[in-house]
Each structure stands twice: as structure tokens, then as C-alpha cells.
């Protein structure tokens, strides 16, 4: 069987370079294009690429995905910054293009491709209904442009959904006076704190508290290699997953 042609968008960034190496090293994949800021994503139609992998910046990732779909490519996206609205536009675009195609296109968007992070989010959502308090602390390298991290946003939203389903009320918090920002950002009622520190890569702690006890769930990516098994899994599976898939957990049957 011939190798799957892969184009990497954001190929000269931290994640893009690591993805290029991982694709190069995989026997069933062929790296056919490295796309930088000056390159045209729609031109990928003539490169033999079947899947485009996007690790760029929040400001451009949605436009890149639309351009990939217009060029007839599947997309795997790790870039953060997605909203319900931007995901909705991709869903609509997929419906339009797939109505005219014999091989329907798929898009996988995941805030984190590391197995430890995906499991941490999953376990946190499972545990959330048993705890009165829940807070998320994400810790990253200081070159990261967005805060809080996409992973922390997703974690907080999963926790909030689990709390709501279990009928839990707001987390207890008697804070009345504070320095602005001292309690972090509040995402669907869950406080999220962002640390930026030289030496870190990508880390997250989920703190769950009850009277007299605490559960801490922690994930650490010490190297960007940690994201690669998930990225390659998504590249291989997106070919058989028409439409929009949000989160690696769906590819892991969690
Ligand atoms: N889902 C996941 O598992 C992970 C997601 N990320 C996310 O991936 C994104 C990238 O992270 P890093 O690689 O650390 O950032 P980076 O800043 O090192 O790389 C971004 C690259 O995108 C390029 N770029 C910007 N606009 C472009 C365009 N229009 N076309 C092509 N390339 C363009 C930049 O020149 C740069 O080389 C961030 O949103 C980050 O949060 C990072 C690690 C893991
Ligand atoms: O920018 C990063 O480095 C990371 N970004 C993603 C996020 O915002 O969640 C994934 C991981 O945390 C690394």
C-alpha cells in the first residue's frame, strides 16, 4: 500500500518541526510539504498530500482548515484558540464539501495529543461529580502565546459539564476582596490559573477537594515527542472519520 502523503503547516515552529520528524520516521507516511507563513495552503492540492497537519497560531488556524478542505485534504489540528463558532463554521464547510465527494473529508481538532493529558482530562471529568471544589492549574513555557491553554479550557469545560449533570452548585469561594486576577480566569464556573515559567514545556494539575481530602490529577509533557503518537494516530484515522471530531479521546475509545 502506498504511504499517506502529509503536509505540515507551521512546519518551522516548535511543534511543526517535531511533527515533520515524526512523519519522516513513519514508514506508512510520507512528508510531502513543509508549509510556512509565506506559503499558500490551497497549493497543497497538487503535492499529493492527503492530510494537512496544522500547528500554527490561533489567529490563522481556522482559515488554514478551510483552505485545506477547499484543496481536498483531510485536516488534523493541534493549534489552540477554537471556539464553538469557529468549529461550527468548519462543520458546515465539511457538510458542503462532503456532499460532492465520494471520499468524504474529515477534520480532527484536539487541544492536546499527549496520552497523559487526554487521560487526565478524562479522569478529571469522571471524578468531578464526587468533589465540592475543582480548580485547574496549567503551567507552560513562556513563549506560549495563549492563556489559558486549550487543554485547560477543555478540562474546565468537561469538569463543569460533569458538575452540572450531577446537580452540583457553584464551587465554594468566600473571596470578597482581591487583587484583580488573583483567583485566575473563570471558565464555566471553574477557576483556571496559568503559570508561565522558563524550563517548563506543558503541564497541568487538576485539584479536586472535599472536606478533609484532595485528589490531584497531574499530567506532564517534558518533551514535544509526547504529542507525536497522538498526532500520528489522528493522521491515520482521519481518513476514515468523515466530519468533525473534537478531542483525541474519541480516537482512543475513552
Ligand atoms: N494539540 C496539542 O497537542 C498541542 C498544541 N499546541 C499548540 O500548537 C500551536 C503551535 O505551538 P508551537 O509550535 O509551540 O508554536 P510556534 O510559535 O513555535 O510555531 C507556530 C508556527 O506557525 C507559523 N505560522 C504562523 N502563521 C502561519 C501561517 N499562516 N501559515 C503557516 N505557518 C504559520 C509560525 O511561523 C511558527 O513557525 C499553539 O496553538 C499551541 O498551543 C502545542 C503543543 C501541543
Ligand atoms: O503551546 C503549547 O506548548 C501547548 N499548547 C496546547 C494547549 O494550549 O493546551 C497543548 C499543550 O498544553 C502544549
Amino acid at each position: 500500500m502506498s504511504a499517506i502523503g502529509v503536509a505540515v503547516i507551521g512546519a518551522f515552529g516548535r511543534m511543526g518541526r517535531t511533527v515533520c520528524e515524526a512523519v519522516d520516521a513513519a514508514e506508512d507516511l510520507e512528508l510531502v510539504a513543509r508549509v510556512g507563513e509565506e506559503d499558500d495552503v490551497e497549493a497543497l492540492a497538487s503535492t499529493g498530500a492527503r492530510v494537512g497537519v496544522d500547528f500554527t497560531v490561533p489567529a490563522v488556524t481556522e482559515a488554514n482548515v478551510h483552505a485545506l478542505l477547499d484543496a481536498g485534504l483531510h485536516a488534523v489540528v493541534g493549534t489552540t484558540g477554537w471556539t464553538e463558532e469557529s468549529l461550527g463554521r468548519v462543520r458546515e464547510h465539511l457538510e458542503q464539501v462532503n456532499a460532492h465527494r465520494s471520499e468524504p473529508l474529515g477534520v480532527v481538532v484536539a487541544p492536546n495529543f499527549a496520552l497523559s493529558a487526554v487521560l487526565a482530562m478524562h479522569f478529571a471529568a469522571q471524578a468531578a461529580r464526587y468533589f465540592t471544589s475543582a480548580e485547574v492549574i496549567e503551567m507552560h513555557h513562556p513563549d506560549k502565546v495563549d492563556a489559558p491553554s486549550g487543554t485547560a479550557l477543555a478540562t474546565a469545560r468537561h469538569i463543569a459539564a460533569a458538575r452540572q449533570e450531577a446537580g452540583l452548585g457553584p464551587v465554594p469561594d468566600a473571596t470578597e476582596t482581591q487583587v484583580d486576577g488573583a483567583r485566575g480566569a473563570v471558565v464555566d464556573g471553574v477557576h483556571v490559573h496559568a503559570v508561565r515559567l522558563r524550563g517548563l514545556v506543558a503541564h497541568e494539575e487538576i485539584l479536586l477537594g472535599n472536606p478533609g481530602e484532595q485528589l490531584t490529577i497531574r499530567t506532564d509533557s517534558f518533551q514535544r515527542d509526547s504529542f507525536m503518537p497522538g498526532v500520528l494516530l489522528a493522521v491515520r484515522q482521519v481518513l476514515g472519520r468523515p466530519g468533525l471530531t473534537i478531542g483525541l479521546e474519541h480516537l482512543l475509545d475513552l
Side-chain angles (χ1 to χ4, degrees):
M1 234 173 51
S2 63
I4 303 165
V6 179
V8 177
I9 305 152
F12 307 105
R14 286 176 289 268
M15 282 298 290
R17 286 193 302 267
T18 317
V19 173
C20 287
E21 282 169 21
V23 169
D24 247 347
E27 282 185 2
D28 60 332
L29 307 179
E30 186 185 355
L31 181 63
V32 297
R34 294 173 203 255
V35 179
E37 275 184 56
E38 308 304 323
D39 302 316
D40 175 12
V41 175
E42 285 200 42
L44 290 173
S46 58
T47 60
R50 291 181 69 198
V51 182
V53 179
D54 183 282
F55 279 95
T56 56
V57 289
V60 304
T61 184
E62 185 193 345
N64 285 343
V65 172
H66 290 299
L68 285 170
L69 295 178
D70 286 336
L73 271 69
H74 303 267
V76 170
V77 184
T79 312
T80 47
W82 289 86
T83 62
E84 280 308 314
E85 291 72 28
S86 56
L87 290 168
R89 289 189 288 270
V90 167
R91 211 177 266 115
E92 263 177 43
H93 194 171
L94 275 163
E95 277 166 20
Q96 285 162 15
V97 289
N98 284 343
H100 307 287
R101 290 182 60 93
S102 54
E103 186 211 316
L105 295 176
V107 174
V108 175
V109 179
N112 204 310
F113 283 101
L115 185 59
S116 64
V118 176
L119 288 173
M121 281 189 270
H122 183 67
F123 295 150
Q126 280 185 321
R129 69 190 173 109
Y130 300 109
F131 288 87
T132 308
S133 290
E135 304 223 357
V136 177
I137 308 172
E138 58 94 329
M139 295 153 274
H140 280 83
H141 60 92
D143 305 312
K144 182 168 177 56
V145 293
D146 54 321
S149 69
T151 309
L153 285 172
T155 307
R157 288 178 183 138
H158 290 318
I159 290 172
R163 287 178 66 89
Q164 192 183 14
E165 200 177 315
L168 295 182
V171 293
D173 182 357
T175 309
E176 283 178 11
T177 55
Q178 62 188 62
V179 175
D180 275 353
R183 295 284 292 115
V186 184
V187 179
D188 292 355
V190 177
H191 290 256
V192 178
H193 311 269
V195 176
R196 295 290 175 266
L197 202 70
R198 188 62 75 204
L200 294 178
V201 177
H203 317 259
E204 182 174 290
E205 273 189 10
I206 302 122
L207 309 180
L208 298 155
N210 269 339
E213 65 168 350
Q214 179 180 312
L215 171 65
T216 303
I217 300 170
R218 182 173 172 119
T219 164
D220 296 279
S221 277
F222 300 111
Q223 299 182 169
R224 291 185 176 79
D225 297 9
S226 60
F227 304 110
M228 295 306 114
V231 172
L232 297 191
L233 177 74
V235 167
R236 291 174 181 125
Q237 287 206 5
V238 73
L239 300 173
R241 292 189 74 92
L244 178 61
T245 303
I246 303 166
L248 192 70
E249 58 272 26
H250 301 290
L251 280 59
L252 297 171
D253 291 330
L254 284 178

